[in-house]
Amino acid sequence: MGEPLLRQVAAPVTRFDEELASLVADMDDTMRALSGAGIAAPQIGVSLRVVIFELRDNPRYPHLSPVPYTVLVNPQLTVLDPAEEEGWEGCLSVPGMRGLVPRYRRLRYQGFDARGAPIDRSVEGFHARVVQHEVDHLDGILFPQRVRDLRNFGFEDALAGHMTPMPD
Ligand code: NI
């Protein structure tokens, strides 16, 4: 947090080539090493519209329904329901901290996988949350900017016990 590249609007991917494959591999390694549920290219210093996410037995997010491993390039979101839901979020670029963030409960996302094949899914709950969090990174937004009441933002250790479980 504070890194200028994380505040930029990232550029669309124009070629589904080896360079993109190697960027995705680097993002994969970083996400897994840090037990993240997702990561966006700007978080490893590349200002391109690429995010990946997955949730499967993640120690940082227990008790949540799994989210399939997804590489999403040039994502477009369509809100399917204006209803929002608050949930606790963390971020690999804001280590050790958590905040209560409102997100749309249901949305459709479209984009491409790493080989350029189209993706079109309608999702809800944590799956919708993680997509919104990652796509925010592509628009230069970090989750603390979405926290409505800063009393609900703090160090993970201090908040433990006060945080309600994240919805799934
Ligand atoms: Ni993040």
Side-chain angles (χ1 to χ4, degrees):
M1 185 163 66
E3 172 67 40
L5 195 133
L6 288 175
R7 292 198 294 267
Q8 287 176 19
V9 174
V13 168
T14 53
R15 283 191 303 192
F16 293 83
D17 56 7
E18 276 309 303
E19 210 173 314
L20 178 63
S22 115
L23 168 63
V24 168
D26 285 352
M27 290 168 64
D28 242 43
D29 290 346
T30 308
M31 179 175 80
R32 290 177 203 287
L34 301 174
S35 299
I39 194 166
Q43 293 183 275
I44 62 162
V46 177
S47 195
L48 284 174
R49 302 188 79 78
V50 182
V51 304
I52 63 177
F53 47 86
E54 173 179 44
L55 189 72
R56 190 181 53 187
D57 304 325
N58 189 317
R60 291 183 80 227
Y61 298 98
H63 321 305
L64 289 172
S65 303
V67 175
Y69 175 76
T70 304
V71 176
L72 185 60
V73 177
N74 297 345
Q76 282 198 311
L77 305 188
T78 308
V79 176
L80 296 178
D81 180 348
E84 291 178 338
E85 185 169 69
E86 293 210 298
W88 289 94
E89 295 188 10
C91 180
L92 303 176
S93 298
V94 191
M97 304 201 78
R98 292 289 178 109
L100 193 62
V101 180
R103 299 285 187 190
Y104 295 112
R105 234 194 86 66
R106 289 182 58 236
L107 58 80
R108 175 184 182 187
Y109 63 86
Q110 294 161 282
F112 302 91
D113 71 13
R115 292 176 178 172
I119 294 174
D120 186 343
R121 292 182 189 149
S122 294
V123 299
E124 60 180 30
F126 184 78
H127 194 154
R129 174 172 297 277
V130 74
V131 172
Q132 290 169 85
H133 176 114
E134 298 311 331
V135 171
D136 263 358
H137 277 296
L138 307 183
D139 295 324
I141 298 166
L142 295 177
F143 83 86
Q145 292 165 252
R146 299 274 190 202
V147 174
R148 289 208 174 124
D149 180 344
L150 283 173
R151 288 175 294 184
N152 294 319
F153 176 58
F155 294 104
E156 205 165 14
D157 295 353
L159 286 165
H162 304 283
M163 288 191 289
T164 51
M166 293 211 328
D168 64 347

